[in-house]
Amino acid sequence: MRQTARKLSCEKFSNINQKYWLRFEELIRKKNLEYTELDEYSRLYQKTVEDLSFAQTNYPDQDITNQLNYLTLQSHLKMHKRKHTGIKTVLGFFTDIFPAGMGKIMPSILFALLIMIVCFFISFLMVQNNKEMAEIFLPDNTYNSAMSDLENRQKFSNFDNIPPEKRTSISIFIWLNNSKVALICYVFGITFGVGTLYILCFNSFMLGALFAVYYSNGFGLDFMSLIMIHGSIELFAIAISAGCGFSIAASFLSPGRKRRIDSVKKSVYDSLFVLIGLVVMLLVAGLIEGLVTPTKPGIEVRLIIAAANMLLITFYLLYGYLKHRKTASIK
């Protein structure tokens, strides 16, 4: 009787946990785990080890113990397998980790984009109705440079005056400066999003006011098309970094069932991968601003470049969102 009870107990144990072991085996066999699958793999590994310990104690001579031993061994071999670096690692980051990370905080990114658009039009309309309002939204050096351009009937002399031999160094400077702004937007999420909101509004107000100044003097399309060659990437990057900041703020304010500190830690961990991708985006924007923008291509060419950038980034964000939804549904 004891043998039969023990056998039934083993079968029951197996029936309850078999689906978890099969899923773990599926992840072990998979060559490249997606970003969202790593957490699942870690949890299933811990469970399998605990189940193995239980099986060794209660069912030492049963097949189920051998099965769990095999799974644990295969998992160890996978974890200690030498990682391949190079182009595949880089491509994996931009086809998996980066977009999935953005997909996870998509509501925060869309919120940041909405704020940017609203602030842009507020300052644009205010300066259009009262030109003196430009001095409120624009720093002194930016305002004076714009006025100088318009008084001399020049179009963006600040770009024209960059010598070709200095454009690469200017690109690096622009990249570092924009990366600093993105980092501040991100870090200021710990101020419950207030600091992130301020940085986002300040930059959007400034762009809207500057556009209004040139627009009112007949250079609106020329100005915006030139700015958006690189701005089409840069502005998206700033919005995404602000989205990271807002996601941290949300983890503070609404941790859900998790402890507040655990919620914040997870939000910071997830958004760090997004921040790495943003640095690359801003590098591309900086290179365009320093190397392409000063050449002043025709307006049609500028609009094509800007539209292509915006379409590519929009589709990339959509791809990341769908990827996140797919992996979330599997869980």
Side-chain angles (χ1 to χ4, degrees):
M1 292 290 294
R2 181 176 297 179
Q3 288 270 346
T4 305
R6 184 177 179 182
K7 182 178 179 182
L8 290 174
S9 177
C10 179
E11 289 176 354
K12 185 176 180 180
F13 174 72
S14 177
N15 290 335
I16 292 172
N17 296 288
Q18 192 67 233
K19 61 181 180 180
Y20 301 108
W21 301 334
L22 290 174
R23 174 58 178 164
F24 187 45
E25 185 175 13
E26 180 184 339
L27 293 176
I28 291 174
R29 293 178 182 278
K30 193 170 182 180
K31 288 185 178 181
N32 296 306
L33 293 178
E34 295 182 357
Y35 167 67
T36 49
E37 292 174 327
L38 292 174
D39 183 57
E40 183 184 11
Y41 182 91
S42 176
R43 287 186 287 104
L44 289 175
Y45 170 76
Q46 183 176 355
K47 175 175 173 49
T48 303
V49 171
E50 291 172 355
D51 289 344
L52 173 60
S53 177
F54 181 83
Q56 287 174 332
T57 302
N58 296 278
Y59 323 116
D61 303 322
Q62 301 295 321
D63 290 339
I64 192 65
T65 304
N66 294 330
Q67 179 189 353
L68 292 173
N69 260 320
Y70 174 77
L71 279 178
T72 306
L73 176 62
Q74 292 302 310
S75 176
H76 288 164
L77 291 174
K78 183 180 181 68
M79 287 190 292
H80 291 89
K81 186 178 179 180
R82 186 175 180 179
K83 297 287 184 180
H84 294 284
T85 58
I87 189 65
K88 287 187 177 180
T89 303
V90 175
L91 288 176
F93 176 82
F94 286 103
T95 59
D96 180 27
I97 297 177
F98 184 36
M102 290 192 294
K104 186 175 290 188
I105 61 168
M106 189 58 65
S108 297
I109 294 174
L110 294 177
F111 177 62
L113 282 170
L114 179 62
I115 290 174
M116 292 178 72
I117 293 170
V118 170
C119 291
F120 173 88
F121 280 107
I122 287 175
S123 62
F124 172 77
L125 294 174
M126 290 178 68
V127 175
Q128 271 293 95
N129 295 325
N130 184 356
K131 302 300 184 294
E132 294 181 359
M133 294 292 293
E135 296 188 64
I136 297 177
F137 294 111
L138 299 175
D140 291 341
N141 58 338
T142 304
Y143 179 80
N144 293 332
S145 176
M147 292 301 104
S148 176
D149 278 351
L150 297 173
E151 287 172 5
N152 298 318
R153 288 295 181 265
Q154 295 175 349
K155 300 177 183 179
F156 324 119
S157 59
N158 54 324
F159 289 123
D160 287 343
N161 293 334
I162 300 177
E165 65 273 11
K166 291 186 178 181
R167 288 175 182 173
T168 301
S169 58
I170 290 294
S171 297
I172 301 299
F173 172 79
I174 292 169
W175 170 51
L176 292 174
N177 182 68
N178 291 336
S179 296
K180 182 180 72 174
V181 174
L183 182 62
I184 292 173
C185 271
Y186 169 73
V187 172
F188 275 13
I190 63 174
T191 63
F192 303 102
V194 175
T196 300
L197 183 64
Y198 171 78
I199 297 295
L200 201 60
C201 291
F202 175 81
N203 283 277
S204 301
F205 280 141
M206 186 170 65
L207 182 59
L210 196 59
F211 176 56
V213 170
Y214 282 98
Y215 180 82
S216 62
N217 287 274
F219 297 132
L221 183 59
D222 196 25
F223 168 79
M224 188 53 69
S225 63
L226 191 65
I227 291 297
M228 289 305 289
I229 295 177
H230 59 271
S232 50
I233 301 175
E234 185 179 298
L235 295 175
F236 265 111
I238 297 301
I240 295 169
S241 67
C244 291
F246 288 139
S247 69
I248 294 175
S251 67
F252 263 119
L253 300 173
S254 181
R257 295 182 179 180
K258 298 179 181 178
R259 291 192 309 161
R260 196 176 304 275
I261 185 64
D262 292 334
S263 177
V264 173
K265 284 181 179 178
K266 188 174 188 312
S267 179
V268 170
Y269 176 79
D270 291 341
S271 55
L272 275 175
F273 291 103
V274 178
L275 204 64
I276 294 171
L278 290 181
V279 171
V280 178
M281 284 182 66
L282 290 170
L283 175 59
V284 174
L287 290 172
I288 293 175
E289 187 173 358
L291 301 176
V292 179
T293 304
T295 66
K296 287 202 179 170
I299 291 179
E300 296 81 3
V301 176
R302 303 176 204 170
L303 293 175
I304 291 173
I305 294 173
N309 288 340
M310 294 178 72
L311 280 173
L312 285 172
I313 294 174
T314 300
F315 281 121
Y316 192 58
L317 287 170
L318 180 61
Y319 164 74
Y321 176 70
L322 294 175
K323 192 173 189 65
H324 168 65
R325 285 289 301 272
K326 181 181 179 181
T327 51
S329 65
I330 292 175
K331 288 185 179 182

